[in-house]
Amino acid sequence: MNISVSVRVPAKINLQLAVGPLRPDGYHDLVTVFHAVSLYDEVTVAPAGDGNDSVTVAGEGAPDVPADAGNLALRAVRALRSAVGEQGADWGGPVRVAITKRIPVAAGMAGGSADAAAALAACDELWQTRLGPAGLGRVAAQVGSDVPFSLLGGTAIGRGRGEQLTPAAAGPGQFHWVLAYAAGSLSTPLVYKTLDQLRADGEVPVAAAGLSEELMAALAAGDAARLGAALSNDLQAPALHLFPALRQTLAAGRALGALGGLVSGSGPACFFLARDAAHGAGLADALAATGACRAVTTAAGPAAGATVLPTVA
């Protein structure tokens, strides 16, 4: 058994996020196109010996991440332990989870889900559970709607709550993105609640939650300009309602020549599509100079999902 296991896991953006009406169970039916990008958290898991599971967090937004039993990575550890125990396997004891963050917290980029996926992949390796991708995916879906995609990575169509995944056909090469972080955060449940209220008030239409054929064709062709024009997010309207400063961020990115731009998921991070890496670097510098966001970085996608890193001797 390895002494410790480290896993690198990417952020996600939603190239399309179509939200259906509120369901009786409090969720919404989604049709979304997930896209993993090369902005990574790293999670290391090691046996703790005696005692309880524990977590430490360092890096981007660390003070805002729970370091107790409510941490999503620890919930993932418990879920995997329960699933393996049900199968009668020889599972491990308490673990120490160390999270190094680069994905912003509560920004609509699935940072918490990414850490949960990384903890699952790390404990799967540490404990040698042999659940396989399908088994690990089932555990991931119990932990959170975005966790299965964080395991999978790449580009995928999500349905249901987003946990029902189908890998999406994509053309060769990569897309280049500029990620703009806001000075603040948004509650995902509140964004969905606000969408429901805006729809009830007639301010936002209830659209059929169907997959965009134009977006899928742009992905398959690897056509950045066409993809930029096809980006869509039903949660953008409520995010802007709750966080009006994002209008300035989106306007700045588009004015500076982005091929397209959106609020990421439930926000408040925004992303912009560039023609290529050089265009992305220039766009990032220009956007940072406007002061329309807290921080800016570049990334490319699609990126691989949760990946176990080589053990350092």
Side-chain angles (χ1 to χ4, degrees):
M1 178 182 293
N2 294 328
I3 294 174
S4 67
V5 176
S6 294
V7 172
R8 187 179 74 170
V9 64
K12 66 83 184 166
I13 57 178
N14 299 79
L15 306 182
Q16 178 189 2
L17 181 49
V19 181
L22 182 66
R23 305 187 323 202
D25 63 1
Y27 290 99
H28 300 74
D29 282 319
L30 306 179
V31 175
T32 188
V33 179
F34 291 113
H35 185 71
V37 298
S38 59
L39 176 70
Y40 302 101
D41 281 0
E42 186 171 317
V43 175
T44 298
V45 173
D50 295 334
N52 300 316
D53 297 327
S54 64
V55 62
T56 58
V57 187
E60 166 75 30
D64 298 320
V65 180
D68 54 21
N71 183 280
L72 203 59
L74 288 187
R75 286 172 52 188
V77 170
R78 294 193 297 270
L80 182 61
R81 183 181 287 125
S82 176
V84 174
E86 290 171 1
Q87 295 189 15
D90 183 16
W91 48 272
V95 294
R96 297 189 306 272
V97 179
I99 301 173
T100 302
K101 292 200 64 62
R102 290 186 63 218
I103 304 171
V105 178
M109 300 183 72
S113 295
D115 297 338
L120 284 176
C123 286
D124 178 62
E125 178 74 13
L126 185 72
W127 296 337
Q128 293 292 291
T129 69
R130 299 180 177 85
L131 286 180
L136 209 57
R138 285 191 290 272
V139 178
Q142 297 172 16
V143 179
S145 300
D146 290 342
V147 180
F149 176 72
S150 294
L151 278 175
L152 178 66
T155 305
I157 302 161
R159 292 186 171 87
R161 292 181 289 110
E163 84 286 6
Q164 301 169 19
L165 297 175
T166 304
Q174 290 193 308
F175 295 103
H176 297 273
W177 305 94
V178 175
L179 311 175
Y181 306 158
S185 61
L186 279 173
S187 160
T188 297
L190 178 58
V191 174
Y192 275 97
K193 182 178 179 180
T194 302
L195 174 63
D196 294 333
Q197 187 60 55
L198 291 174
R199 285 175 167 175
D201 293 342
E203 297 184 39
V204 174
V206 181
L211 184 64
S212 168
E213 295 183 3
E214 175 62 17
L215 185 137
M216 299 309 296
L219 280 171
D223 188 329
R226 192 174 173 188
L227 178 63
L231 300 171
S232 64
N233 179 7
D234 285 356
L235 294 184
Q236 180 161 292
L240 294 176
H241 181 84
L242 294 166
F243 206 132
L246 298 180
R247 298 181 189 277
Q248 180 184 359
T249 307
L250 290 171
R254 291 165 179 159
L256 290 168
L259 300 179
L262 276 183
V263 171
S264 181
S266 58
C270 297
F271 64 85
F272 301 93
L273 181 57
R275 292 189 302 272
D276 51 34
H279 180 218
L283 177 59
D285 289 343
L287 184 59
T290 68
C293 48
R294 172 176 66 85
V296 183
T297 190
T298 58
T307 302
V308 176
L309 299 176
T311 302
V312 178

